[in-house]
């Protein structure tokens, strides 16, 4: 049986040792041999009275000692533990520890259990503003986040903290001052790969016997036309093959800018007046093709630094469309049709300007942003902090880490979008598609909502949009390519993590209404003059 390794991380004083003491007091955790590796000691120590008489061994890892795979292997060889709990030093990169645990010599005998991150609500903002890269890296890798000392804070303050945490790690469960029983449940749970394998094996066996019975009875479902699935596969792969090079090149360029061009330099590029600010906002996206996940935080930073809100919003909405790689991918997706590229640029810029100018009538520039964090760039842990990118080698390392994180982040949306595109076009009856895509407003709304839900990266959405040209009018397809980069699920989450909720609601409403009005006129003109 493999040893389970659980990790408790967090800054000094966040409550890591207290949490481990509470776990050791529990009866369930006392079963089996446990080794605790303390990489950091604070004011509170592991209670010897708790571990006395229990099958628990405490080992303090001396600072700067060789804490590597050999060290862990020696611990396992000597104590043969069922579980190892590592109290991680919050000032060290969690990724270094995870790399050690993922080495082959460790994976043969161990399995990573639960990663728990402890946060002191009283110091969260301070640490986030001063050591954001370290904190973000630890939060993004955690399974459970426990928010301590939250009693003295209002519901709104705690909600803002939790919103920030969710923007960094969407899957982690956040627990406020949880009881011992609830905390225990989070760390005690055993991962049982055998159960998962059994479930997979069970469904495969059931599926096989079901298929055999249907074939024997000559059941109609057994004679499904597999050619449809071959068509789905062809559409799916063709989209991926054409789009992935643009995504890869895009994330590399974006990462270079992200590492070498600081946020402050981008902020200084913008004038503090709306007039010329609108012009700069339109072309800034062409000069700074940063990743999709960075657009919203940069816009929030612009507002905080005194750039007018309408200018910042225009930049945020226009940047993903005027991105040179987006222009190139649209050319490639629609060969011999430069008018599509032109209209995508023209309509996108027009809508971005319209939204920005609409907010000239709002006098709340100083109150729309949240105060918790200037920006949450992404999960790579390198954005916006020069302390982790000292020297040319460090910057190159940061580029590849950022590019890798962003590639897999946006790539999954492309895969989902490509698969659904193939499914819709192959399995839905043609008469239904023709009725939906009959050149009316409904077809435009459907494509706009599809762009929002699929959340495909703007450097690759043209390839998915192209597959709908035969079913939907070009005006509706244009809605997919324009609204998607401006507003989708992942951008909405980023907006909620950087701006106040009421402002986000107003912004979403304005974007949708103005886009619907402008694109409806374009849809009408395209149907009248070009037949769709």
């Amino acid at each position: 049986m493999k040893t389970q390794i659980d990790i408790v991380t967090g800054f000094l004083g966040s409550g890591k040792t207290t949490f481990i003491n509470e776990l050791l007091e529990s009866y369930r955790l006392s079963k089996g041999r446990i080794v605790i590796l303390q990489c950091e000691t604070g004011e509170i120590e592991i209670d010897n009275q708790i571990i006395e008489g229990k099958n628990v061994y405490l080992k303090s890892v001396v600072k700067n000692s060789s804490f590597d795979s050999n060290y862990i292997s020696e611990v396992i060889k000597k104590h043969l533990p069922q579980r190892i709990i590592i109290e991680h030093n919050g000032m060290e990169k969690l990724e270094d520890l995870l790399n050690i645990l993922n080495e082959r010599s460790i994976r043969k005998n161990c399995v990573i259990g639960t990663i728990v991150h402890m946060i002191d609500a009283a110091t969260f903002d301070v640490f986030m503003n001063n050591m954001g890269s370290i904190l973000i890296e630890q939060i993004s890798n955690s399974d459970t986040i426990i928010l301590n000392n939250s009693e003295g804070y209002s519901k709104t303050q705690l909600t803002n903290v939790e919103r920030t945490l969710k923007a960094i790690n969407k899957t982690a469960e956040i627990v406020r001052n949880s009881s011992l029983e609830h905390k225990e449940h989070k760390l005690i749970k055993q991962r049982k790969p055998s159960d998962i394998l059994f479930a997979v094996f069970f469904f495969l066996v059931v599926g096989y016997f079901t298929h055999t019975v249907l074939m024997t009875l000559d059941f109609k479902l057994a004679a499904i036309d597999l050619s449809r699935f071959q068509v789905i596969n062809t559409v799916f792969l063709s989209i991926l093959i054409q789009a992935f090079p643009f995504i890869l090149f895009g994330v590399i360029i974006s990462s270079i800018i992200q590492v070498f061009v600081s946020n402050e330099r981008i902020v200084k590029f913008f004038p503090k007046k709306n007039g010329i600010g609108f012009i700069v906002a339109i072309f800034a996206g062409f000069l700074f093709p940063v990743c999709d996940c960075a657009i919203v935080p940069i816009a929030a930073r612009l507002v905080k630094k005194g750039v007018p809100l309408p200018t910042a919003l225009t930049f945020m909405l226009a940047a993903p469309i005027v991105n040179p790689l987006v222009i190139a991918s649209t050319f490639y997706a629609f060969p011999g049709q430069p008018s599509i590229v032109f209209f995508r640029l023209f309509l996108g810029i027009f809508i971005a300007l319209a939204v920005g100018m609409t907010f000239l009538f709002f006098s709340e520039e100083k109150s729309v942003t949240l105060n918790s964090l200037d920006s949450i760039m992404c999960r790579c842990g390198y954005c916006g902090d020069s302390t982790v990118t000292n020297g040319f080698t460090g910057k190159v390392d940061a580029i590849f880490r950022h590019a890798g994180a962003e590639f897999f982040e946006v790539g999954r949306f492309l895969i989902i979008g490509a698969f659904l595109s193939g499914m819709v076009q192959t399995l839905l009856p043609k008469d239904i598609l023709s009725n939906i895509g009959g050149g009316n407003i409904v077809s435009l709304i459907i494509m706009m909502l599809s762009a929002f839900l699929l959340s495909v990266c703007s450097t690759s959405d043209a390839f998915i949009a192209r597959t709908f040209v035969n079913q939907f009018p070009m005006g509706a397809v244009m809605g997919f390519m324009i609204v998607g980069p401006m507003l989708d699920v992942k951008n909405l989450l980023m907006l909620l993590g950087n701006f106040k909720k009421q402002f986000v609601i107003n912004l979403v409403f304005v974007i949708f209404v103005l886009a619907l009005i402008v694109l409806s006129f374009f849809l009408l003109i395209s149907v009248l003059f070009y037949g769709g």
Side-chain angles (χ1 to χ4, degrees), residues 245-255 289-291 323 325 406 459:
F246 286 94
I247 290 183
L248 182 60
F249 189 64
V251 298
I252 292 175
I253 297 298
S254 168
S255 300
V290 294
C291 62
N323 185 322
L325 286 168
E406 188 184 348
T459 56

Side-chain angles (χ1 to χ4, degrees), residues 40-148:
E40 180 183 56
T41 55
E43 295 180 358
I44 299 177
E45 299 179 351
I46 298 295
D47 195 335
N48 290 323
Q49 293 182 350
I50 295 176
I51 64 177
E52 186 176 353
K54 292 185 178 181
N55 205 2
V56 178
Y57 296 87
L58 175 63
K59 296 182 69 67
S60 295
V61 180
V62 181
K63 191 175 182 180
N64 298 325
S65 66
S66 180
F67 183 66
D68 53 15
S69 57
N70 292 328
Y71 182 93
I72 297 175
S73 297
E74 287 297 322
V75 170
I76 295 174
K77 183 178 179 180
K78 180 179 180 180
H79 298 286
L80 299 175
Q82 179 185 353
R83 181 189 300 270
I84 294 177
I85 299 177
I86 300 177
E87 183 176 348
H88 179 253
N89 187 338
M91 295 301 296
E92 302 292 336
K93 289 174 60 177
L94 179 59
E95 187 176 336
D96 292 339
L97 174 59
L98 295 178
N99 288 336
I100 293 173
L101 299 181
N102 280 317
E103 291 183 19
R104 180 177 297 181
S105 59
I106 300 298
R107 286 190 286 110
K108 287 192 303 183
N109 303 309
C110 303
V111 58
I112 298 177
T114 305
I115 301 176
V116 179
H117 184 75
M118 310 294 297
I119 290 179
D120 187 339
T123 59
F124 175 72
D125 283 345
V126 175
F127 282 130
M128 186 62 86
N129 288 325
N130 292 279
M131 289 179 284
S133 61
I134 299 176
L135 189 54
I136 288 173
E137 188 256 350
Q138 294 184 18
I139 293 173
S140 64
N141 284 291
S142 299
D143 301 307
T144 301
I145 301 171
I146 297 179
L147 197 58
N148 280 325

Side-chain angles (χ1 to χ4, degrees), residues 474-489:
M474 195 60 226
V477 175
M478 192 64 67
F480 182 91
M481 293 191 292
I482 291 176
V483 174
M486 292 184 177
L487 184 65
D488 57 25
V489 173

Side-chain angles (χ1 to χ4, degrees), residues 412-443:
R412 60 180 178 176
F413 289 103
L414 173 64
I415 291 173
I416 294 172
F419 179 74
L420 291 178
S421 175
M423 291 279 288
V424 168
Q425 296 176 70
T426 306
L427 299 182
L428 279 184
K430 297 297 182 183
D431 55 340
I432 295 179
L433 285 175
S434 60
N435 290 333
I436 295 176
N440 52 33
I441 302 299
V442 175
S443 64

